[in-house]
Amino acid sequence: SMTKYYREQGYVGTLGNAFIGVPTGEVVGGTTTINSGTCFETPQPVIQEWRESLGLTLSHEELSPYFSSLRELLSIQKVSEDRVSSGNKLFRKGLQKLGFQNSFPLDRAEKNCVGSGRCPFICPEAAKQSTDVAIVPKFLAQGGEIISNASITHILEEKDKVILYGKTREGKKIKSECKTLV
């Protein structure tokens, strides 16, 4: 999985006091295919910070319907206790001994998980509701197009369409028109 699905075979990172790996997917579905499927709503204090420091006018209440839609689309749910790994149970026990009583597993985007434990290395059962599983098939069924293994060099926005210009890894020029660009 590291050589096939991770950008730079998993060696993307940041520098500071230490190297910190930043797992980035280079596959249809992007980083959602290699992450653990954890999902959470943007916390209200973060939205408040965005309002104060960036001047955004968003509110948690405005975003709430979108959070609900995503929860349904991606089957976001609490992790059942039988799916919590022994390592995570031991970690939770350590947190409790340190006095942290409100620890809990993050919600996950999954449907029919069998507990293979391979979430960050591509789910072998397609249970993790990553973009390639939950969204791309619907997108393609509605006439969407995926441009992969290419670099977009220019985007031209017109009144009723968007035109993408780029080139493939082999250097072939590409042009694609669309009504909506995601």
Side-chain angles (χ1 to χ4, degrees), residues 70-121:
L70 287 170
R71 187 169 287 281
E72 184 177 330
L73 174 67
L74 301 176
S75 301
I76 299 171
Q77 56 194 299
K78 298 272 181 226
V79 175
S80 62
E81 190 62 25
D82 65 317
R83 294 286 184 255
V84 177
S85 72
S86 58
N88 283 331
K89 287 178 182 177
L90 184 61
F91 183 73
R92 179 174 51 200
K93 189 175 179 180
L95 286 174
Q96 290 168 347
K97 283 193 175 207
L98 290 171
F100 297 97
Q101 299 304 315
N102 294 324
S103 63
F104 55 89
L106 293 172
D107 291 355
R108 293 195 63 247
E110 60 93 353
K111 192 184 291 184
N112 303 317
C113 176
V114 297
S116 68
R118 293 188 37 85
C119 307
F121 306 105

Side-chain angles (χ1 to χ4, degrees), residues 38-56:
T38 54
C39 296
F40 55 90
E41 294 179 8
T42 308
Q44 288 187 16
V46 171
I47 295 171
Q48 184 60 35
E49 182 181 333
W50 291 345
R51 291 171 63 88
E52 293 168 5
S53 65
L54 301 174
L56 298 181

Side-chain angles (χ1 to χ4, degrees), residues 132-153:
D132 59 315
V133 173
I135 297 172
V136 169
K138 293 174 187 174
F139 170 73
L140 294 173
Q142 294 176 0
E145 175 188 12
I146 294 174
I147 300 173
S148 63
N149 296 317
S151 296
I152 302 302
T153 57

